[in-house]
Every structure is written in C-alpha cells, then in structure tokens.
Amino acid sequence: MILSVTLNPSVDHALFLDKLNIGDTNRVERTERDAGGKGVNLSRIVAELGSTTMATGFLGGGPGDYVRGSLDRQGVSNCFVQVEEDTRINFSVEDASDQPPTTFNEKGPTISPERFDELFRVIKGLIDHVRWIAVGGSLPPGVPNDAYARFVRFAHEHGVKVSLDADNEPMRLGVEAGPDFVKPNSKEAARLLGRELREIDDAVAGARELQEKLHKAHAHDPIVVISLGERGAVLASSSGVYRGESPKVEAISTVGSGDSLIGGMLWAIEQGKPLGEALQWGLACGAATASTDGSEIGRRAKIMELLPQANVERA
C-alpha cells in the first residue's frame, strides 16, 4: 500500500476570469473547488489507477470535512488526525492570458506537538501494510523544519520506502536523511544544488548529483526525478539516467501535475514495472492532470490515452 502524508492539506478554489484587472472589480465566469495538497492529489491518482492507498495528515473544521468527503467520494481510504483550527483554503485566479495562475495560499492551522506525535502513532498503526510513504508539501505552523527527515528515519526503521517532494529547508533536511525517491521541480532542484538548471543537460547533471547525495546519505538504490513542466522530466538511478518527454496537451491548469507524476510512478513501481516505464506512466498522469480544470486530477481514461505519447529514452 502507498500511504500519503499531507501535513498541510487544503480546499482549493479556482476562479476563472476573462481578464484579471488588478485594483478593479473582476467578474468571475466560473468557480471550481476541490481537495488539495500533495499527498491528497497523489493518493487520488493511485486510487484512480486502481491500487490501494491511504491518505493521512491533519484536517480541521468545515474545510477539513470537505477534504475528507472528497476523498471518500473517490474511494480513497483516509485516516487524518483532527486538529482544532480549520484546514486552510487556497485560491487561484486564472484568466485567458498565457500567464500562470495567481495564487493565494493560507498558512494553515497551528499543529501542536501532541497532534504531531499522534500522527506518528497513526502511521505506526498502519505501517505493517505500507510499502511506500509519500510525504511533501508545505509545513503548517508548529511543525518543525526537520519533519520530513523524521518521517524518512521513522519509515526506514520499519523497512518502508519514502518519497519526498518539498522545498527549501524542509527539503534539504529531508534529503540529508536519505529518502528513496525525491521529485523536485527545476527551481527546487536549483535551490538544493546552488545553481540554475536552464537546459535539459543541466537537469540531467543535477539529477545525477542529487542521486549521489542520496546514496551517500545511505539511501538504498535511490531515485531522483526532476520535473521540467511541459518539457517533461529527467530521472537518475543506479540503473541509469532517463529523459522523458510529456505528452502534448492543452494545459488548462497544472495544479497537482507534479503530485500526479509521483503517484503514477509509485503505482508503476509497485506494479513491478521498470523505471523507464514508470516514468512514462508518471508523465502521462501529470499531463492528464494538466489537461483538467482547476485542481481536478487526471482520470484513468485520459491517462491511458496519453500513455503511448509519453516518450522515455536513456540519456
């Protein structure tokens, strides 16, 4: 089973306009609302592909009930720790221009040490059935910067593999703990490496360097994927380096695309597929999600349609 841990989930509202007018009244043409958060999106993709997954983390108030209900409706098992404050609500504004969405993200509820410890007890109760723990995203107030490093060490103590997708100090500390799979985007990878990754060859070299960092941190056969948006992704592992081209789609909203890539890859790895094919599945899942509105995730029919169009080659 793939267990996702989302410390700071959200309810995501996407507002669609013809044109965003700063400092003036804007007429919203339509609004979409969905459950959000890296692990939440990841588990939804895994469930969409037909495998068992469990989502956990922290939820609170009416927005938390909405996230839980969304997962229930999609058949995603979940076991969240209830907190006193409301789960955050995020907004994105998209118009007809070629510019990325304008986003407004709340900081999230404050997590007490007692609730943080409770989450570890929940995970410990599930650990015997778990093969992968997927962690990532922003940290809510009260959660220490080394939270992901703690999850990595905890999982490895119980013989479970960990994937990590985060940024800045939580990502750096998490990488030092030696996770088995990391998926930064090009900007996040640049912050980890201290240099920009402008070209595909830069990303390939960066993936190799990060893979070596994980190996030195005692990760067993680690996998590094650097996602490059519409240009695809690169993958480095002990079995080689791959370049993947994403299927060509009309990108309506890229919210959740990176999470979908990880979900598709972990699902494929659990199915015993080789890494090159796993990357192909991940790219198809990411593109399927990018072709949906708002914070919706890709559906199986669309993923299967796009899968043959995801081209993966050894670098």
Side-chain angles (χ1 to χ4, degrees), residues 84-104:
E84 291 75 16
E85 298 178 22
D86 285 1
T87 291
R88 63 183 177 148
I89 299 176
N90 296 335
F91 291 89
S92 65
V93 180
E94 303 185 38
D95 62 16
S97 71
D98 293 330
Q99 296 300 311
T102 300
T103 60
F104 303 86

Side-chain angles (χ1 to χ4, degrees), residues 183-188 225-229 231-234 258 261:
K183 195 231 51 85
N185 61 34
S186 58
K187 291 182 179 179
E188 292 162 349
V225 175
I226 298 179
S227 58
L228 306 169
R231 294 186 297 165
V234 299
L261 187 154

Side-chain angles (χ1 to χ4, degrees), residues 247-290:
K248 303 303 180 186
V249 298
E250 181 183 357
I252 299 175
S253 174
T254 59
V255 174
S257 292
D259 315 326
S260 298
L261 187 154
I262 301 172
M265 285 199 66
L266 293 184
W267 172 85
I269 290 169
E270 281 295 276
Q271 298 299 308
K273 300 181 186 300
L275 282 181
E277 189 176 344
L279 180 57
Q280 185 181 17
W281 276 94
L283 291 169
C285 290
T289 292

Side-chain angles (χ1 to χ4, degrees), residues 204 233-237 239-244 274-276 279 312-315:
V204 168
V234 299
L235 181 154
S237 73
S239 62
V241 178
Y242 298 85
R243 296 183 183 185
L275 282 181
L279 180 57
V312 175
E313 298 178 348
R314 283 189 176 270

